[in-house]
Amino acid sequence: MPARLLSATLVGLNVFSIEVEVDIDRKSVIHDVDIVGLGDTAVKESKKRIKSALKNSGFDFPHGRIVVNLAPADLKKEGSLLDLPIALGVLQACGHLNRFDFLCVGELSLDGHIRRVKGVLTILVQLSKDGFSKPIVVPKENEAEARMVKNLNVYCFEHIKQVVEFANGLVKYEPVRFEGLPPFSYDEELDFADVKGQAMAKRALEIAAAGVHNVLMKGSPGAGKTMLARRISTILPPLSDEEAIEVLTIYSAIGQADMKKLTRPFRAPHHTASTVAIIGGGNDARPGEISLAHNGVLFLDEFPEFRHDVIEALRQPMEEGFVTVARAKATIVYPARFMLIAAMNPCPCGNYGDPKAVCNCSPYDIVRYNKKISGPIMDRMDILIQLPRLEPEEYFSKNSSERSEKIRERVMRAREIQKRRYREVNISTNSQLNSKLMKKFIQLDEKTEELLKLTVSRYNLSARSIDKILKVARTIADLEGSQDLDYKHVAEAIQYKLQMD
């Protein structure tokens, strides 16, 4: 009778239950371990780790032919997290395990110690949602993740011998205690007060932070584009528990989660990054930078220097808030609701339009450089900002700028207003409004509507651009605590949309 033990595996962010079946044919003259069930190289190699781990832990490895089946057999299994359940399945088949009504994951070292594995938090969160009631065994090194999930009985062990003692009732172990999420923190080295001048850009980024709007900054080198972008995370509200879990499960799945502190994601990939690196994919369909920036900021510096296909691939995720990575063997959906902050120069040399510098670029070079950002991408940018070169008087000014903490207070008040307004429609910020919801929540008086019509007619704006203007205007009104959308709110929003026209 084959032994059976429960485990789990990840495909993208999707958690699948695995049944590990172990059958030993002691009459066979062939002494080998066959692992079937569509395992990758790491799974196939586990038989060598398991054999040494059991022997070095004081267990006799059985003679004969051992067949390990990982069901369902048509689901690809990746990684080393199935080492522990396979080893315990072998012990169960040999009669060394009295209890096997638990789920376990873990990688084994050659001396029997249980090593940390990726995706434990992702697995536990899904098991909690499913109402899983049986005991769960995970590596001791993953204990911090286990303490973040409630309504589960999770046990953490350092060595396979401890798991056997637990299963046989030889030693009483207590499940880990739920402690919740780690504390949220901001980078104290970054502050908006460090940025000299650029009052209009700061105002625009405050609006962007309050409504989660996409921003494109254009200006000469040294104007402060990168400095401003890197400080926008300091004016964003702390992650809610739901947002934090979404972020941590993504990072846990790729083994990069920081369990000691919680921050909003800020991703700044180099402009040489490939489409797969930004969007996600590859042989193992990993999440890309847009998913790693979920609920945070994606900063693309030197925006036109990114490959054309990379920039164009951002279109769909910017609108939908998720990305579908389709491969021959699997289709995986990753969350990708991020705030895009992009920065660029006005021309290849960076001096075009600067009254105090000489531009060496030809008209053709300038047009070609700016055309790298297509119309559809510009259409998806809520706020466009021109940053002038900093004047010497501004740089040497002794006047202190407003600190991030004060700006963040206003942003948080505006976010709270939006949260209350949209509590019944399952969105939380103005940027998430669709056409149907905009008709419900945004009303214009005749004067304001006439202004918008004139702007649309003169600048030939698309329907998406009109939506962007209204969403930004709604955020401006929220920052002022205004319930109604006034003429001045729409006028300021139009100004941000037309700065580069």
Side-chain angles (χ1 to χ4, degrees):
M1 188 71 179
R4 288 183 174 85
L5 206 67
L6 283 177
S7 188
T9 191
L10 285 174
V11 179
L13 298 180
N14 299 320
V15 179
F16 293 91
S17 295
I18 301 296
E19 192 172 65
V20 179
E21 301 176 317
V22 180
D23 184 54
I24 303 176
D25 183 2
R26 299 182 183 275
K27 296 180 180 179
S28 175
V29 295
I30 300 175
H31 303 295
D32 195 16
V33 179
D34 283 339
I35 300 179
V36 297
L38 215 59
D40 69 349
T41 303
V43 175
K44 297 291 185 183
E45 290 177 346
S46 66
K47 61 184 180 182
K48 298 178 181 180
R49 295 190 294 271
I50 290 165
K51 190 171 184 178
S52 295
L54 291 179
K55 284 185 175 180
N56 292 327
S57 300
F59 300 104
D60 293 328
F61 197 80
H63 294 286
R65 187 180 186 88
I66 303 175
V67 178
V68 179
N69 180 43
L70 307 175
D74 62 346
L75 178 70
K76 187 173 178 62
K77 294 90 181 173
E78 298 178 344
S80 57
L81 75 171
L82 295 176
D83 284 10
L84 181 60
I86 293 174
L88 293 174
V90 172
L91 293 178
Q92 181 189 344
C94 295
H96 295 314
L97 221 60
N98 297 335
R99 179 183 182 181
F100 34 85
D101 63 337
F102 56 88
L103 182 147
C104 60
V105 293
E107 178 185 333
L108 288 176
S109 65
L110 298 184
D111 61 357
H113 278 84
I114 306 172
R115 286 183 169 145
R116 180 190 187 93
V117 291
K118 297 185 291 186
V120 166
L121 179 62
T122 312
I123 292 171
L124 294 179
V125 168
Q126 187 59 52
L127 292 175
S128 179
K129 290 179 181 178
D130 295 342
F132 191 82
S133 58
K134 296 178 181 179
I136 303 168
V137 171
V138 301
K140 182 72 173 176
E141 293 179 2
N142 292 105
E143 185 175 355
E145 295 168 74
R147 293 187 182 278
M148 295 183 192
V149 187
K150 56 185 176 182
N151 301 325
L152 291 177
N153 293 318
V154 185
Y155 297 82
C156 298
F157 297 109
E158 294 179 329
H159 200 279
I160 191 172
K161 288 192 292 186
Q162 295 176 321
V163 184
V164 174
E165 292 171 348
F166 162 76
N168 293 336
L170 300 176
V171 179
K172 183 175 176 58
Y173 290 95
E174 294 294 329
V176 298
R177 187 176 68 257
F178 170 71
E179 293 183 353
L181 299 170
F184 191 89
S185 62
Y186 290 97
D187 189 344
E188 296 180 356
E189 298 297 319
L190 301 176
D191 198 298
F192 261 71
D194 302 331
V195 184
K196 301 284 188 178
Q198 305 299 1
M200 188 171 185
K202 291 177 182 177
R203 165 68 174 170
L205 290 179
E206 179 181 337
I207 296 168
V212 192
H213 300 294
N214 300 319
V215 179
L216 174 60
M217 297 184 287
K218 182 189 284 190
S220 301
K225 302 183 297 294
T226 303
M227 196 173 186
L228 283 164
R230 293 195 175 278
R231 281 156 178 76
I232 195 166
S233 57
T234 66
I235 63 172
L236 292 172
L239 288 166
S240 66
D241 288 353
E242 183 180 354
E243 290 176 327
I245 287 293
E246 290 176 354
V247 170
L248 288 172
T249 51
I250 296 171
Y251 281 82
S252 173
I254 62 172
Q256 294 182 13
D258 186 350
M259 300 304 167
K260 294 182 180 179
K261 64 178 182 178
L262 200 55
T263 59
R264 281 221 179 242
F266 181 89
R267 306 294 297 186
H270 193 261
H271 62 259
T272 56
S274 66
T275 307
V276 169
I278 300 295
I279 304 301
N283 293 331
D284 52 356
R286 283 170 57 91
E289 290 292 331
I290 61 173
S291 296
L292 297 178
H294 180 62
N295 289 329
V297 177
L298 176 67
F299 174 47
L300 300 182
D301 203 1
E302 305 297 341
F303 197 32
E305 301 301 331
F306 282 83
R307 283 171 27 186
H308 178 74
D309 58 326
V310 173
I311 296 175
E312 295 304 311
L314 293 170
R315 290 192 197 179
Q316 190 174 350
M318 286 171 69
E319 288 293 299
E320 298 181 346
F322 63 87
V323 61
T324 302
V325 179
R327 293 295 178 266
K329 295 183 179 179
T331 299
I332 300 168
V333 178
Y334 288 114
R337 191 169 296 284
F338 56 90
M339 184 197 303
L340 175 62
I341 307 294
M344 61 181 289
N345 295 328
C347 66
C349 77
N351 293 328
Y352 178 69
D354 190 335
K356 295 185 178 181
V358 177
C359 175
N360 298 315
C361 304
S362 68
Y364 173 76
D365 290 336
I366 297 171
V367 171
R368 185 182 62 174
Y369 180 81
N370 283 274
K371 273 193 172 182
K372 291 181 180 180
I373 312 301
S374 67
I377 291 294
M378 291 292 285
D379 219 23
R380 285 165 169 80
M381 302 306 256
D382 304 58
I383 297 175
L384 309 175
I385 316 171
Q386 290 275 12
L387 273 73
R389 190 184 296 273
L390 199 65
E391 296 293 336
E393 294 79 11
E394 292 178 306
Y395 183 85
F396 291 104
S397 173
K398 302 301 181 182
N399 296 329
S400 58
S401 301
E402 193 173 24
R403 297 185 61 83
S404 291
E405 186 179 359
K406 296 293 292 182
I407 303 174
R408 186 167 66 240
E409 289 175 1
R410 295 195 295 269
V411 169
M412 290 175 66
R413 283 197 297 269
R415 286 280 190 102
E416 190 59 35
I417 292 172
Q418 295 169 62
K419 187 177 179 180
R420 290 197 303 269
R421 182 191 301 129
Y422 306 131
R423 61 182 179 274
E424 297 179 357
V425 293
N426 200 31
I427 63 172
S428 57
T429 61
N430 293 324
S431 63
Q432 296 174 286
L433 286 168
N434 57 32
S435 298
K436 183 178 179 180
L437 293 176
M438 287 182 67
K439 292 178 182 178
K440 179 180 179 180
F441 291 106
I442 296 180
Q443 306 294 329
L444 302 179
D445 57 37
E446 290 185 11
K447 182 182 177 183
T448 306
E449 187 173 321
E450 187 62 28
L451 170 66
L452 193 54
K453 285 179 180 179
L454 288 172
T455 305
V456 171
S457 176
R458 179 176 179 181
Y459 293 96
N460 194 27
L461 298 180
S462 67
R464 181 183 286 112
S465 291
I466 300 171
D467 288 349
K468 296 290 188 184
I469 290 172
L470 291 174
K471 292 176 187 179
V472 172
R474 181 64 266 176
T475 302
I476 294 170
D478 290 338
L479 280 168
E480 290 186 3
S482 174
Q483 186 175 352
D484 299 322
L485 204 58
D486 294 336
Y487 184 93
K488 62 179 180 180
H489 303 140
V490 174
E492 184 177 357
I494 290 172
Q495 173 184 309
Y496 292 127
K497 190 63 179 171
L498 302 180
Q499 276 207 36
M500 296 184 190
D501 284 5

